[in-house]
Amino acid sequence: MLLYVLYLIAIVAEAVTAALAAGRRSMDWVGVCLLGCITALGGGSARDIVLGHYPLTWVAHPNYLLLTGGAALLTIALARFMHHLHKLFLLLDAIGLVVFTVIGCNVALEMELPFVIVIASGMITGCVGGVLRDVLCNDIPLLFRSELYATVSVLTGIMYVSGLQLGFDHNIVMIVSLLSGLLLRLLALRFNWSMPKFIYSRDVH
């Protein structure tokens, strides 16, 4: 139940941040709604397509489309107040990353897939929605920048799956993994932690 409630909060937060990104690109209301749904539900859809896990989450639960699309449209009316909530949305985005990761791992675990695929499933669920948002907004996806984002997802997934395989209580493993991943993401934002960059400036002839 906790994971489900956090999931609902996360998809709403992702839809709102996507709507703000759409507003910065001067998209119409339909574009705002679509980008909100794609960002919030795109990671899970990509995971399900890759794993052959059907029906897709939003097909099985159409209310998720209404929830995310509605949240995106509501953002238009409340946009003037959103800059006051910037830190809150950073927190909710971090929560969404780790929650989506654990949910993605659970889907692969239920399908009895290998460890590496389970971790990849978690990362896809956690990160691809944001990649789709950035690509559609013509930005460099956050996943491909040096900022700790995908790394947090991978480490959260490894901690979660390893804890389960070691036989620890599921609820304890889930809570510890979520809190650890969230803490790492927030510390990375606070102290600008990042992965090493690859810089190559010479032309190849």
Side-chain angles (χ1 to χ4, degrees), residues 1 10 12 14 25 28 31 65 76 89 92 96-97 103 108 110 112 125 141 146 150 158 199:
M1 180 58 69
V12 168
E14 293 297 317
R25 294 297 187 213
D28 62 22
L65 283 176
I76 297 173
F89 281 110
L92 293 177
L97 175 64
I103 290 174
E110 290 172 1
E112 299 182 349
T125 310
S146 59
I158 290 174
I199 300 174

Side-chain angles (χ1 to χ4, degrees), residues 26-184:
S26 302
M27 295 186 186
D28 62 22
W29 287 22
V30 174
V32 170
C33 183
L34 287 175
L35 191 65
C37 293
I38 290 170
T39 303
L41 305 173
S45 296
R47 173 205 66 221
D48 290 341
I49 291 171
V50 169
L51 299 182
H53 181 259
Y54 297 104
L56 303 183
T57 302
W58 56 268
V59 175
H61 305 281
N63 55 304
Y64 293 165
L65 283 176
L66 298 176
L67 181 62
T68 54
L73 292 176
L74 183 62
T75 304
I76 297 173
L78 302 177
R80 68 172 73 91
F81 306 111
M82 289 300 176
H83 67 281
H84 296 298
L85 304 175
H86 176 67
K87 291 184 179 179
L88 174 61
F89 281 110
L90 286 177
L91 172 63
L92 293 177
D93 180 73
I95 292 173
L97 175 64
V98 295
V99 168
F100 291 156
T101 296
V102 169
I103 290 174
C105 289
N106 280 335
V107 170
L109 286 171
E110 290 172 1
M111 299 177 70
E112 299 182 349
L113 296 172
F115 180 86
V116 173
I117 305 302
V118 173
I119 302 304
S121 174
M123 188 182 71
I124 289 171
T125 310
C127 301
V128 167
V131 171
L132 294 173
R133 175 199 62 215
D134 293 339
V135 168
L136 292 172
C137 290
N138 199 31
D139 293 325
I140 297 175
L142 188 63
L143 180 67
F144 303 138
R145 303 175 206 168
S146 59
E147 186 177 325
L148 292 185
Y149 195 78
T151 305
V152 171
S153 178
V154 170
L155 292 177
T156 300
I158 290 174
M159 184 179 302
Y160 177 67
V161 178
S162 298
L164 293 180
Q165 291 184 343
L166 290 172
F168 295 116
D169 180 78
H170 176 268
N171 290 331
I172 294 176
V173 171
M174 181 183 70
I175 292 173
V176 170
S177 300
L178 290 174
L179 290 178
S180 299
L182 177 61
L183 179 62
L184 178 59

